[in-house]
Amino acid sequence: MNILLWHVHGSWTTAFVQGPHTYLVPVTPDRGADGRGRAETFTWPSSVRELSPAELAEAPVDLVVLQRPHEEELAARWLGGRRPGRDVPAVYVEHNTPRGGVPDTRHPMADRTDLTLVHVTHFNRLFWDNGATRTAVIEHGIVDPGHLYTGRLPRAAVVVNEPVRRRRFVGTDLLPQLAEAAPLDVFGMRTEGLAGHLGLTAERCRTADLPQRHLHAALAERRLYLHPVRWTSLGLSLLEAMHLGMPVVALATTEAVEAVPAGTGTLSTRPEVLAEAARRYLAEPEAAAEDGARARQAALERYGVKRFLDDWEHLIAEVRS
């Protein structure tokens, strides 16, 4: 089939396009938010094709995967008047937790009869008010980077984009306390200046923005993965770290309580408990490696890319029947 989707979330799309279809990704001259085209920092197969809006108007499309509310109108315009859900089968993938008004937040696609609303976690489906729209949950899938963990550096790895702007959502305010327990290496977009913003020395808080092919190797050298996120959907970087064989120290919030089983790390709503767990991993590298190996096994079983693609194939068949 020909599946139209926008390049919105690079990690999620990387798993999605491993399927057996042709994936049509809009591209515009400025490669802006609505026309990024193929990824530059992720490895995508040749089955992902860039099409301009003019080319999409004539392209055969068997399914539209919407991910942002305005894409519905955009798709109808770029597909030459073919409307998602009416003229072309459509699903809407919700990547995020609701913002504001929880737990009464109304989803933009609530009470729709012409599409299926697909949540990436059970937590998201539970906390969004979906109305009468048909819903499904397809949990994340990860392209396995391999068991790369060495943990040779006694530091904690954190992956977060825009930690200064997103602040409490991603637990930026907790980092100074956690940095006292373990020096931090924070990876992600727009992390520069974070140490100064938090009042930390460069040694206690280092930052870098690496493409995925380099990020995995860098993460695997750190002793543990730290996930201080309060309120976002389940971070794919957390699942990637588990695939790498890293032990996890995470806030027990959103879907993390489902993703990180016993014996793979420490979950708590108390930052001081997380700090103590980080200290223990720094002092006991063998324990860190053992918990990381169990984390990898758990992630492979629940978040493998084959299960993810199989779930999508079943849903696509239902949507198009």
Side-chain angles (χ1 to χ4, degrees), residues 304-318:
V305 72
K306 183 180 184 305
R307 189 276 309 155
F308 171 78
L309 294 174
D310 286 347
D311 287 352
W312 268 105
E313 287 306 296
H314 290 141
L315 180 66
I316 289 171
E318 292 176 6

Side-chain angles (χ1 to χ4, degrees), residues 10-19 42-45 139-148 212-213 216 236-237 239-244 296 299-300 302-309:
S11 293
W12 181 87
T13 308
T14 297
F16 186 75
V17 299
Q18 303 302 314
F42 296 87
T43 302
W44 287 0
E139 295 187 311
H140 289 300
I142 302 296
V143 179
D144 183 16
H147 194 168
L148 305 182
Q212 189 187 47
R213 61 184 178 276
H216 288 158
L236 282 170
S237 56
L239 302 180
E240 290 171 354
M242 293 173 70
H243 274 75
L244 291 167
R296 172 171 167 78
L300 287 171
R302 182 160 184 171
Y303 299 104
V305 72
K306 183 180 184 305
R307 189 276 309 155
F308 171 78
L309 294 174

Side-chain angles (χ1 to χ4, degrees), residues 259-277:
V260 184
T264 66
T266 296
L267 286 172
S268 179
T269 54
R270 298 166 57 188
E272 61 271 22
V273 172
L274 303 187
E276 182 55 36

